[in-house]
Amino acid sequence: MADDLLAVRRAKLERLRADGIDPFPHAYPGVTPIAEVRAAHSDLEPGTDTEVQYRVAGRLHARRGQGKMAFLDLDDRSGRLQLQAKLDVLGAEAMERLLELDLGDLVGIDGTVFMSRRGELSLRVDGYDVLAKSLRPPPEKHAGLQDVEQRFRRRELDLIGNAEARELFVARAKVITAVRRALDEDGFVEVETPVLQPLYGGALARPFTTHHNELGRDLYLRIATELYLKRLIVGGLERVYELGKDFRNEGVSFKHNPEFTMLEWYEAYADVYDAADRLETLVRSVAVAVGHDDPEVSFTEPWRRTTLAQAILDECGVDILANRDAEALAAAIGDKLPTDGRTWPQLVDDLLSKFVEPTLQSPTFLFDYPVELSPFAKAHREHEGLTERFEMFAYGMELANAFSELNDPDVQRERFEAQARFSAAGDEEAQPYDEGFLLALEQGMPPTGGLGLGIDRLVMAMTGKRSIREVVLFPAMRD
């Protein structure tokens, strides 16, 4: 059946060429988005004609009628517009050719605006051009593309068939624009740091490894931008941010994709509490920009603030600060979750991810993380064994992570050595020892507040999506 449809469409393609029509022209200048046409004439009364002409372009979505008059629906990125084709305007040959076009074909239309008697804004077709012959049929026009696997593997079909999908990725673009605007207006400088790195770092994760033939060495796709950005703070840029791709060789889930978009910013002379205030203000502006309106979850009201230890104690009755080694913490956990072979920081992270994180639906800051979980965070100024760090959660997932950045090179060296011990104990996600970063810190880094914000998860929160694959145009998929 699919082959028959393809053959029919290819036959139409050849007829166009035989008639001297180029089915794939180079350009079509002067196009007005459909949304602009609709906005300019939204107040027309039913049955009103005008003399206003427009050039629009898009895909044929539907067709009704034939003979002397037909109506067609045209879709572009911004919306849908009804077209009226009349035999006495186009002539017999052009009318026949227009009605022979297939749904999904890309066409350009020159026409005159009017409001139908039923109150539908329309364009009377004065002339048209074929812009691209579609050799395969579009998704079914009423149901769209329903197969979830196909939607993610063939995102172009999802975008053709589902207006909601197009709107989602326009909303994603608005999120990113709002984030950049907020930071640019606050004096931050956007920078770019290496994606291929000789030594990965800045997070606790497994990297992707590749090989550079000319250099004769292995390189890593970055897992974070942190260490390079802090070297820029050392260099005196003072407020920097990078918004780009990171890569972590980890599992795929509703909130994990191995390739993801992250924002990291670093601000000299600030601390973790400044970062919290800035994040709350920034996300509030993003929520306004995209029209977030979940009645159950508000980003515009003050966010809840508590500590990691208190949140774990509240949800599962385990006091992590009273059990500061793996054996004691495993005993306190009991049969709540598997503990064999887990290091102390892994057990704490398990408690957080299994018992606390799913409960955090409204925006919440968890402060005061143990030093074992925070190799780059500055020691807490009041509580020994803790660091000045927060993670921010909403909709049951982590969205952001921030520190008062560690800027004492001797302490940082000790932290690297501790991470090396965790690595030797079998932790594949431990931070490797980075002598180059230590050299930079020895030049002197001012007090600094730093933050990482997951853009994909922020888009999920702003659009109500429960899977990261929904908000990534081309997510990673199994064969």
Side-chain angles (χ1 to χ4, degrees), residues 427-453:
D427 186 351
E428 294 180 343
E429 298 183 351
Q431 165 70 47
Y433 197 102
D434 191 334
E435 185 64 34
F437 177 64
L438 288 171
L439 289 175
L441 281 189
E442 288 175 350
Q443 296 295 142
M445 187 176 86
T448 299
L451 179 139
L453 173 63

Side-chain angles (χ1 to χ4, degrees), residues 6 26 30 62 99 104 118 124 151 153 177 180 188 237 284 332 337 343 351 369 373 429 456 469:
L6 184 60
H26 289 77
L99 295 182
R118 294 184 177 182
R124 186 169 293 112
R151 287 182 54 231
R153 293 184 190 276
T177 297
R180 279 197 165 103
F188 281 76
L237 289 186
R284 183 178 297 115
L337 50 79
T343 64
L351 290 170
Y369 277 57
L373 275 72
E429 298 183 351
D456 305 313
R469 297 197 301 177

Side-chain angles (χ1 to χ4, degrees), residues 363-394:
T364 302
F365 289 111
L366 298 186
F367 283 90
D368 300 354
Y369 277 57
V371 65
E372 293 90 340
L373 275 72
S374 312
F376 297 107
K378 203 170 183 67
H380 200 288
R381 65 195 80 181
E382 296 177 2
H383 303 294
E384 185 176 355
L386 301 181
T387 62
E388 293 193 353
R389 175 188 178 189
F390 73 72
E391 288 185 302
M392 175 266 178
F393 299 83

